[in-house]
Amino acid sequence: MFHIPFNNQYASLGPSFYVETLPSPVANPTLIKFNEDLAEALGISTSDLDPDDLATFFAGNRIADGSVPLAMAYAGHQFGNFVPQLGDGRALLLGEVASPDGDYFDVQLKGSGPTAYSRNGDGRAALGPVLREYLVSEAMATLGVPTTRALAAVTTGEDVVRDRLLPGGVITRVAKSFVRVGTFQYFAGRGDLDAVRKLADYVIEHNYPQLCDAQNSYVDLFKAVVDAQAVLIAQWMRLGFIHGVMNTDNMSIAGETIDYGPCAFMDEYKHNKVFSSIDRDGRYAYNNQPAIGLWNLTRLAECIAPLFSQDEDSAVEVAKDILTTYQPAYEQHWLANMRAKCGLTTDVDKAIANEDKVLIESLLDIMAQHQADFTQTFFYLSQSKLQSSEPTSKQDSALPDLFGRATQFNDWFRKWRQRLSYETISEEQRQATMQAVNPVYISRNHQIEAAIRAAEDHNDFSVFHDLLEVLQSPYTQQEGKDKYMLPPQADEVVKQTYCGT
Ligand code: AMP
Ligand code: MG
């Protein structure tokens, strides 16, 4: 028997928070992938299930014991415009699981059929976006970025209608929480402060239990969410990751990357790179992400500040004070991450940290000028041997090649070498620490596209499986897998990604 030890705390919040909804069965569910390691970590036992049984459950054709499937209500600012009701239009929360480690995880089907919140949508997901979300979210996890995880993916045996007919899929996602900034906005927008408080209490108990006994746990919750967001976006930036649609309904209260739509890791570096076809003004461009994080947190503050104090003025002051901590916290995390990427690990005073910042920013400028590949630049920097002044191997010449052998880069490299001479660790240690934070492999857009093409056009999932396997160890160079390191050839470039709804 399929057993997930669900508890249904969210369901106990009451009917204004969700609509109980059963998944709509699909014609012919077939398992693409089941994440056994994750299932084990969650304490989900599936030992006596074969792939067909798993497909039946993860397509929503059968419901596991103890599950109360529901569509969560939420609102959200979409590209800056407030929409008072969005909600899970094609997703269903199956329930919460307490893992053997005592952490809570929410399990959700996405693509499982219409709900009360579907508006004009069909409640379904196309196979392509399912594979994309699986690959990118699992890549983020192994890269060490807070993220929702992928537990399973299935094909449905049914087509979905988009700009053309596409095969359908369902992804099962696991998150610390599926509560979003937009969930708070839903209740605040209706003036329902009791529901805002109830939701905050749920989030504290579920995701921030250490705050339960705080003097003002709502203030501390807001502080914790602000911190988590600063950490998260600094992680995205260190990897050249662009979320694509940072609407408030796509911002998790638990500080995880959530709702992978038209997202991508950059190949060639550009400060204000945009991938999403729907982001016409570049609101969610790479270098706008930190500021959008603050914008979204300000929307959250508007919802929960009334919980901080009875006195409106002092509540607003508290919220403002906390919001002002975001930018410095983000910058501190960013600098720490970027210094580590450059092998700058020793503690330094403020003046040198500032010089390091200038050094890093000038590298990014030169990368942008020469369209150097983001991941390859840092990969080859972390391979560089600094003892010899002349390039001695193919790898040594790969780095200047990324910059078209421009003198600007050589000048920068010289400055970097000079700066490294103040570091106290050995060359080997420096290389090892740099290699631990600079990935060899990211889930590159053109490779995801190749996996989708093979699956959609030829029912061939081997490309997906091979890529997923490589991404399990993103910081380790793997034999025979060099093609996954490479940026796209001119004809492979994916210029935009689509929302994929
Ligand atoms: P997203 O762009 O995936 O973050 O979704 C934004 C909103 O649109 C959410 O309320 C989704 O549930 C809803 N939505 C997206 N795609 C569909 C679909 N195919 N059917 C129903 N609702 C959808
Ligand atoms: Mg969303």
Side-chain angles (χ1 to χ4, degrees):
M1 191 53 228
F2 186 42
H3 186 64
I4 300 184
F6 282 125
N7 65 52
N8 304 99
Q9 269 182 299
Y10 204 80
S12 73
L13 291 179
S16 59
F17 286 78
Y18 57 82
V19 178
E20 267 187 50
T21 311
L22 289 174
S24 307
V26 300
N28 185 20
T30 309
L31 190 69
I32 303 166
K33 177 73 186 166
F34 174 58
N35 191 338
E36 278 166 27
D37 293 345
L38 180 60
E40 197 176 317
L42 298 181
I44 296 175
S45 102
T46 55
S47 48
D48 51 351
L49 291 182
D50 65 26
D52 287 343
D53 290 329
L54 289 170
T56 311
F57 282 107
F58 292 119
N61 281 21
R62 269 175 78 188
I63 299 299
D65 283 352
S67 166
V68 180
L70 55 87
M72 293 166 73
Y74 54 83
H77 273 91
Q78 299 195 305
F79 292 91
N81 303 309
F82 186 62
V83 183
Q85 182 174 304
L86 290 163
D88 289 332
R90 53 168 170 167
L92 290 171
L93 180 70
L94 295 179
E96 301 104 305
V97 182
S99 76
D101 296 341
D103 296 322
Y104 279 108
F105 290 95
D106 296 359
V107 183
Q108 190 193 61
L109 299 178
K110 182 174 172 184
S112 49
T115 76
Y117 306 116
S118 296
R119 295 172 289 163
N120 296 323
D122 59 2
R124 294 297 184 192
L127 174 62
V130 165
L131 298 180
R132 166 182 291 279
E133 173 153 357
Y134 203 116
L135 288 166
V136 184
S137 66
E138 286 303 292
M140 292 288 260
T142 54
L143 287 164
V145 183
T147 176
T148 60
R149 301 289 306 270
L151 181 63
V154 300
T155 51
T156 58
E158 294 176 1
D159 285 339
V160 295
V161 186
R162 296 296 180 257
D163 52 343
R164 56 201 159 100
L165 282 186
L166 294 169
V170 179
I171 183 164
T172 305
R173 318 190 280 184
V174 173
K176 283 188 179 166
S177 178
F178 284 104
V179 173
R180 303 133 193 275
V181 168
T183 321
F184 283 90
Q185 290 183 293
Y186 177 85
F187 295 106
R190 283 166 169 67
D192 189 347
L193 190 59
D194 284 342
V196 172
R197 186 178 293 109
K198 219 167 162 182
L199 185 63
D201 288 338
Y202 169 83
V203 168
I204 290 168
E205 190 185 332
H206 202 64
N207 298 113
Y208 299 94
Q210 72 279 14
L211 306 182
C212 276
D213 301 324
Q215 205 178 18
N216 188 330
S217 52
Y218 303 124
V219 171
D220 285 8
L221 170 64
F222 186 51
K223 280 185 193 159
V225 174
V226 169
D227 273 346
Q229 203 61 21
V231 167
L232 178 67
I233 296 180
Q235 284 284 336
W236 293 355
M237 300 303 277
R238 83 166 175 96
L239 294 162
F241 178 77
I242 300 162
H243 180 283
V245 194
M246 291 176 70
N247 292 338
T248 54
D249 53 302
N250 291 340
M251 184 179 153
S252 154
I253 206 71
E256 292 181 324
T257 316
I258 186 176
D259 276 11
Y260 292 87
C263 58
F265 289 89
M266 259 193 281
D267 296 306
E268 54 191 45
Y269 182 73
K270 188 175 164 192
H271 296 301
N272 57 352
K273 180 81 183 165
V274 176
F275 278 101
S276 165
S277 60
I278 52 174
D279 189 5
R280 293 201 183 84
D281 301 325
R283 178 181 170 90
Y284 300 136
Y286 173 72
N287 60 355
N288 265 1
Q289 297 185 120
I292 290 291
L294 180 59
W295 195 90
N296 289 346
L297 289 164
T298 309
R299 303 290 81 74
L300 176 63
E302 289 162 0
C303 302
I304 66 169
L307 304 180
F308 296 168
S309 162
Q310 301 269 356
D311 176 55
E312 196 180 324
D313 289 345
S314 69
V316 170
E317 278 315 303
V318 171
K320 276 188 181 163
D321 283 350
I322 298 170
L323 285 169
T324 57
T325 64
Y326 168 82
Q327 187 62 25
Y330 165 75
E331 280 175 21
Q332 195 194 339
H333 293 302
W334 179 86
L335 187 57
N337 292 345
M338 297 306 287
R339 287 183 77 241
K341 280 176 87 73
C342 293
L344 308 177
T345 53
T346 38
D347 271 346
V348 287
D349 63 27
K350 218 170 165 185
I352 297 188
N354 265 335
E355 281 174 29
D356 287 353
K357 186 169 174 233
V358 172
L359 185 72
I360 292 159
E361 284 172 344
S362 69
L363 174 62
L364 293 172
D365 285 340
I366 301 168
M367 286 163 66
Q369 247 164 331
H370 297 278
Q371 286 115 49
D373 184 85
F374 187 92
T375 304
Q376 294 244 299
T377 297
F378 289 102
F379 167 73
Y380 283 119
L381 278 181
S382 65
Q383 303 288 320
S384 300
K385 293 198 177 56
L386 301 178
Q387 254 85 8
S388 57
S389 57
E390 293 299 315
T392 52
S393 67
K394 198 168 149 249
Q395 291 221 322
D396 288 350
S397 69
L399 190 52
D401 281 350
L402 286 177
F403 294 83
R405 308 214 146 242
T407 48
Q408 266 170 321
F409 176 72
N410 295 341
D411 292 346
W412 183 88
F413 194 79
R414 217 168 294 122
K415 277 189 209 151
W416 179 55
R417 274 174 56 153
Q418 230 166 19
R419 170 63 186 82
L420 281 176
S421 63
Y422 297 108
E423 292 290 310
T424 49
I425 53 175
S426 70
E427 166 111 353
E428 288 70 31
Q429 280 173 316
R430 177 190 58 78
Q431 280 189 326
T433 53
M434 284 180 74
Q435 286 163 14
V437 294
N438 289 312
V440 185
Y441 311 103
I442 47 163
S443 50
R444 289 183 187 268
N445 232 348
H446 68 292
Q447 284 149 357
I448 295 172
E449 202 53 36
I452 293 173
R453 289 273 56 79
E456 262 187 17
D457 300 345
H458 308 292
N459 199 30
D460 170 9
F461 289 89
S462 63
V463 186
F464 166 81
H465 288 296
D466 201 37
L467 178 54
L468 185 63
E469 180 67 32
V470 171
L471 294 170
Q472 295 303 301
S473 311
Y475 296 105
T476 310
Q477 204 164 355
Q478 299 160 42
E479 204 159 325
K481 303 295 179 187
D482 282 1
K483 72 171 177 182
Y484 291 110
M485 294 172 62
L486 298 177
Q489 301 285 332
D491 63 340
E492 292 175 317
V493 173
V494 180
K495 294 215 169 63
Q496 289 189 321
T497 54
Y498 293 86
C499 213
T501 51

